[in-house]
Amino acid sequence: MPELAIWSIFFLPIISFLVISFLLRPFLNDKPRLSGYLAVLSIAGSLLLSFWVLSEVINAPGHRLSLPDHEWAMVGNLTIRVGLIVDSLTAVMLIVVTLVSLMVQIYSQGYMHGDPGYHRYFAFMSLFTGSMLGLVMADNLIMLYVFWEMVGLCSYLLIGFWYHRPAAAAAAKKAFIVTRFGDLGFLLAILFVVFQTDPPTFDIERLHSLAVAGTLGGTAITLLALGVFAGAMGKSAQFPLHTWLPDAMEGPTPVSALIHAATMVAAGVFLVARMFPVFEASPQAMTTVSVIGGVTAVFAATMGLVVYDMKRVMAYSTISQLGYMMLGLGVGAYAAGIFHLFNHAFFKALLFLGAGSANHTTGTFDMRFMGGLRRYMPWTFATLTVASLSLAGIPPFSGFWSKDEILLETLHKNQALFWLALVGVFMTAFYVFRMMFMAFGGKYRGGASAEHVTQHSAHSHALHESPPVMVVPMLVLGVLSVISGVVNLPWSFGLPPHWLADFLGGEAAGFDVNLAGTSSLVAALGIFLAYAIYSARWLSAERVGKLFGPIYTLVYRKYYFDELYEDLIVTRGLYRNLSFALDWFDRNIIDNVVDGMAWLGRNVGRPVSRVQTGQVQVYGIGISLGILLILAAFIIFGR
Amino acid sequence: MVGLEHYLILSGLLFCIGMVGALAKRNIVTILMSIEIMFNAVNIAMVAFSRYVTPTLLTGQIFAIFIITVAAAEVALGLAIIMAIYRARETVDVGKIDLMKW
């Protein structure tokens, strides 16, 4: 396979970004559709190339293609190279990113129709896809970090896409700043690598071999792994850096589907998977990953139980599912973690697109004002049901297979985390079906016009299914949500058993009927409880909420994390004290030093300037006296 | 016997008189005259050196003639400028010609 074809996988979307920004937007602004078509076309090209790469990788020895490195920069004895790593992990990620991205971009043609920022939207989406593809193919930490920051930038731009809304602008800033804390750790880890390797190398495969050989070991490798994991925590919204993701829902829904559910947030999981041999060499780092993952999985799920915003339910669900992936990686189930990432990308993207579809017709995301959409939007309802069953982990949908593998591995490694994860399974099933029953069951409760009773607009148009351009991508994702589990079934089904695990080079997790039965039963219980409260109404949601009293409030207020970060740390700690001190120092010390220098210059200069009278005779006298002085000195001290 | 020293002393005295005049006088015409005296002091020194140090050559004398010529041109120019200044400002006092003072 020609090297250029592999490079063009991520160059195509970036070219699309450049063409839209510098040609279409300035010169063909009145034909926004062109941008959409170009974006879809470029990503379709990337998808085809990705399939090509996948088939090449499957047939290649050791499941990896070797490509030449290119020298990029030299600093002292440190050479920075750029190159692509094309192995099984890359191939899987390429398929996930391009496939979900293509579906989302097609869907966006309908969802963003008529938006004044249409060109901008597709330019950013193309840039994002290109950066993400670059990220999964980068073969060294520096290049990976560049693309890492580029997806962060795109995330910022797209969350704040409707920048005239203060909430969106604030959410964009929050996402950028909170992830920055994690990225700091990643950057430190990269710098740390320079001092720990000789000759300094950023090459990921070389780091792998150093870690496996034990050359890089002990505290050094733990620190390195923890730094990398800090970056992954920020990007994948793991506790305690999770606060940005729910707010990121201010962006357009397809953006949430692509970036904040399926691909970018999975970059953290991908990074841990990419550096997996490094993590494996450090038991402490692995424990940290699994504990953070397990805690996040349940912690985020509890918040998903109580919010009313449909997208936020999904946001907490995403955090929780990313927690499961981290948990899987942390307990050593490399293949299971990636398998879950793979399945999750499809059903979570679909869930978001479905939420967007519901919003498209009702004008609101608040589930209290939806209801009864089943009758009006049969396709949305059907595909969302599939996605929800998959998320809840009901066999034979894809989510079941991957979640089960993670649970099984966790059970072998860490009992406490297993029970935690099982509680998470129950909550997951409950919140996703709570959403389904609230939004699609019962009677329609008025949508946006009911939400804004006071400022009633004539927006009570008839409810309708979304246009085909939105429904078709959802159908495709719906089919994928059912069948994507096929790649790693415990028995032979078209593909050999545990095909994905073999392909990725991880150990197959196996299959335990008892565990599978238990987890399915727990999920079914969750669904039943949701049915009991929100559909059959045997229990009143308010009464259940009151029963838990303070715990309900605590969860509903998101454990006061926003208050902790914004009021306590940022406002009190940073703003009132640190910034105040710095402000005082700046005004009184720095400013005064600068002012003092100017004052000194001016006031020394003023008397000296008096000497310059403009009278040539005065100067002449000065010169004469000077000559006399020199002569006198010459005569007295000279020779 | 009149030697080189006598000429040089005369030349030095003339130069000092001229310099004091050029630096101390207020009247611009007097200053111009003082400068002429300094020129002539130099001429005397020049001719004296030529006569006593290199009697066979006439370098100093030729130099003196050049200086006299250039000084004549300079006086013509200087007087013209003085006339112009006097017409414009009705004064020849250098203390009052201070347009370019800070």
Side-chain angles (χ1 to χ4, degrees):
Chain A
M1 182 168 189
E3 199 195 348
L4 183 67
I6 301 178
W7 281 91
S8 28
I9 290 176
F10 79 90
F11 275 136
L12 276 176
I14 285 181
I15 290 169
S16 153
F17 160 71
L18 293 175
V19 170
I20 292 172
S21 319
F22 296 108
L23 294 177
L24 297 183
R25 172 68 185 78
F27 300 115
L28 291 165
N29 197 19
D30 52 337
K31 296 192 183 63
R33 293 258 136 198
L34 284 178
S35 303
Y37 296 146
L38 181 66
V40 169
L41 209 65
S42 69
I43 190 69
S46 295
L47 177 63
L48 290 179
L49 289 170
S50 301
F51 274 116
W52 191 11
V53 166
L54 180 66
S55 71
E56 293 269 332
V57 170
I58 288 174
N59 294 323
H63 295 314
R64 80 177 289 284
L65 305 179
S66 48
L67 294 170
D69 260 4
H70 303 277
E71 202 166 277
W72 181 28
M74 266 183 51
V75 186
N77 65 339
L78 174 68
T79 312
I80 300 174
R81 314 176 76 87
V82 289
L84 301 182
I85 184 169
V86 183
D87 59 3
S88 44
L89 178 62
T90 304
V92 171
M93 288 301 292
L94 285 180
I95 298 293
V96 170
V97 174
T98 49
L99 199 56
V100 175
S101 183
L102 179 65
M103 290 306 135
V104 169
Q105 307 236 15
I106 294 173
Y107 176 94
S108 304
Q109 311 268 328
Y111 191 84
M112 298 304 287
H113 182 69
D115 193 283
Y118 202 81
H119 283 294
R120 189 160 53 92
Y121 177 81
F122 281 101
F124 290 164
M125 284 296 254
S126 295
L127 181 63
F128 166 73
T129 311
S131 316
M132 186 69 199
L133 291 170
L135 192 154
V136 302
M137 291 199 288
D139 83 335
N140 66 70
L141 288 176
I142 295 285
M143 190 176 163
L144 200 149
Y145 189 70
V146 169
F147 286 114
W148 182 267
E149 292 300 332
M150 271 170 75
V151 294
L153 169 72
C154 292
S155 169
Y156 166 81
L157 292 172
L158 285 164
I159 294 169
F161 181 74
W162 288 313
Y163 51 81
H164 44 83
R165 284 191 200 162
K173 265 190 293 182
K174 188 171 176 183
F176 204 71
I177 293 166
V178 173
T179 52
R180 196 69 39 244
F181 282 97
D183 292 352
L184 179 66
F186 189 17
L187 184 61
L188 288 178
I190 293 174
L191 297 178
F192 187 61
V193 163
V194 180
F195 299 110
Q196 293 296 327
T197 54
D198 188 42
T201 181
F202 295 114
D203 191 82
I204 290 169
E205 286 181 326
R206 182 150 161 67
L207 288 174
H208 286 180
S209 55
L210 286 178
V212 171
T215 321
L216 194 64
T219 324
I221 201 145
T222 305
L223 287 175
L224 171 61
L226 288 180
V228 170
F229 184 56
M233 275 165 71
K235 205 59 109 196
S236 285
Q238 298 294 293
F239 174 85
L241 296 179
H242 62 280
T243 55
W244 68 270
L245 206 145
D247 286 17
M249 297 301 127
E250 289 295 336
T253 307
V255 169
S256 309
L258 178 61
I259 300 186
H260 305 119
T263 58
M264 187 196 84
V265 290
V269 179
F270 166 79
L271 181 66
V272 175
R274 175 56 89 211
M275 303 294 285
F276 198 65
V278 173
F279 279 86
E280 247 183 340
S282 161
Q284 295 93 329
M286 288 294 267
T287 313
T288 311
V289 174
S290 60
V291 168
I292 294 274
V295 167
T296 307
V298 174
F299 170 78
T302 54
M303 291 188 278
L305 299 175
V306 294
V307 287
Y308 290 110
D309 184 311
M310 201 170 178
K311 273 177 84 179
R312 277 174 201 251
V313 175
M314 244 71 101
Y316 286 117
S317 161
T318 301
I319 299 174
S320 162
Q321 296 301 309
L322 291 166
Y324 275 108
M325 295 173 208
M326 287 292 188
L327 174 63
L329 293 175
V331 297
Y334 171 72
I338 299 302
F339 183 33
H340 197 50
L341 192 165
F342 179 73
N343 292 333
H344 174 260
F346 299 125
F347 65 68
K348 187 50 66 65
L350 173 56
L351 280 167
F352 269 99
L353 296 187
S357 178
N359 166 49
H360 200 58
T361 191
T362 61
T364 177
F365 280 113
D366 195 326
M367 297 188 294
R368 282 170 296 189
F369 302 105
M370 289 187 179
L373 298 181
R374 184 181 30 152
R375 265 169 291 140
Y376 306 102
M377 313 180 78
W379 289 112
T380 305
F381 174 67
T383 51
L384 266 189
T385 308
V386 168
S388 303
L389 287 168
S390 192
L391 172 61
I394 299 295
F397 296 94
S398 63
F400 166 74
W401 304 108
S402 49
K403 189 177 282 184
D404 226 51
E405 282 189 14
I406 293 175
L407 287 176
L408 187 61
E409 287 284 327
T410 314
L411 182 61
H412 292 328
K413 293 275 160 54
N414 192 330
Q415 291 271 339
L417 284 176
F418 168 76
W419 290 108
L420 205 60
L422 204 61
V423 171
V425 170
F426 175 76
M427 288 180 179
T428 306
F430 176 78
Y431 67 64
V432 68
F433 276 89
R434 167 179 176 266
M435 176 201 86
M436 289 301 289
F437 289 129
M438 277 182 90
F440 289 89
K443 281 210 189 82
Y444 186 51
R445 291 185 290 273
S449 40
E451 190 181 10
H452 309 287
V453 183
T454 44
Q455 44 184 2
H456 193 282
S457 58
H459 193 68
S460 53
H461 58 271
L463 295 174
H464 57 83
E465 180 59 280
S466 299
V469 73
M470 290 164 72
V471 170
V472 171
M474 287 166 63
L475 282 176
V476 173
L477 288 171
V479 172
L480 284 169
S481 303
V482 181
I483 63 163
S484 67
V486 159
V487 298
N488 205 24
L489 290 185
W491 52 80
S492 185
F493 190 86
L495 290 164
H498 292 300
W499 177 83
L500 187 72
D502 285 344
F503 180 53
L504 288 169
E507 52 198 272
F511 185 73
D512 182 26
V513 181
N514 294 330
L515 175 68
T518 314
S519 78
S520 308
L521 193 69
V522 166
L525 267 178
I527 296 174
F528 178 74
L529 186 65
Y531 174 78
I533 295 179
Y534 294 99
S535 186
R537 295 185 187 282
W538 296 325
L539 292 164
S540 151
E542 285 75 26
R543 204 167 301 157
V544 176
K546 283 223 182 68
L547 192 66
F548 286 99
I551 299 176
Y552 177 82
T553 319
L554 178 70
V555 175
Y556 189 74
R557 304 291 307 185
K558 302 178 260 181
Y559 296 91
Y560 296 97
F561 260 95
D562 282 341
E563 283 79 1
L564 173 69
Y565 288 161
E566 276 158 37
D567 296 351
L568 217 64
I569 297 180
V570 175
T571 310
R572 298 254 163 92
L574 294 180
Y575 184 72
R576 297 240 175 94
N577 294 317
L578 182 65
S579 302
F580 191 81
L582 291 177
D583 177 69
W584 181 88
F585 185 78
D586 189 52
R587 271 176 213 284
N588 291 293
I589 309 289
I590 307 278
D591 281 8
N592 278 356
V593 166
V594 175
D595 287 353
M597 297 301 274
W599 181 89
L600 197 71
R602 209 169 53 229
N603 287 287
V604 168
R606 191 166 288 144
V608 174
S609 74
R610 289 280 154 198
V611 175
Q612 196 144 8
T613 57
Q615 297 284 348
V616 183
Q617 286 176 313
V618 176
Y619 301 162
I621 289 168
I623 293 168
S624 312
L625 289 177
I627 292 171
L628 280 181
L629 267 177
I630 292 168
L631 273 179
F634 190 69
I635 289 163
I636 297 168
F637 306 109
R639 291 172 218 267
Chain B
M1 178 63 194
V2 179
L4 180 58
E5 299 82 18
H6 298 93
Y7 289 104
L8 290 186
I9 288 167
L10 172 66
S11 164
L13 280 175
L14 271 178
F15 190 87
C16 287
I17 290 167
M19 192 163 78
V20 171
L23 294 181
K25 283 293 180 184
R26 301 272 95 182
N27 190 322
I28 196 164
V29 181
T30 321
I31 291 172
L32 205 60
M33 287 160 65
S34 307
I35 291 172
E36 287 305 314
I37 291 172
M38 286 157 79
F39 277 135
N40 287 318
V42 172
N43 284 343
I44 288 168
M46 206 75 88
V47 175
F49 273 125
S50 183
R51 180 77 186 77
Y52 282 93
V53 180
T54 56
T56 50
L57 296 173
L58 293 176
T59 324
Q61 285 86 332
I62 300 292
F63 228 115
I65 289 171
F66 268 101
I67 291 175
I68 291 165
T69 319
V70 173
E74 180 242 306
V75 167
L77 203 62
L79 281 173
I81 292 171
I82 290 167
M83 289 301 289
I85 290 172
Y86 183 73
R87 287 212 184 116
R89 306 188 49 109
E90 302 236 318
T91 179
V92 286
D93 185 343
V94 286
K96 291 184 179 145
I97 305 168
D98 55 0
L99 258 183
M100 290 172 79
K101 196 173 168 185
W102 64 83

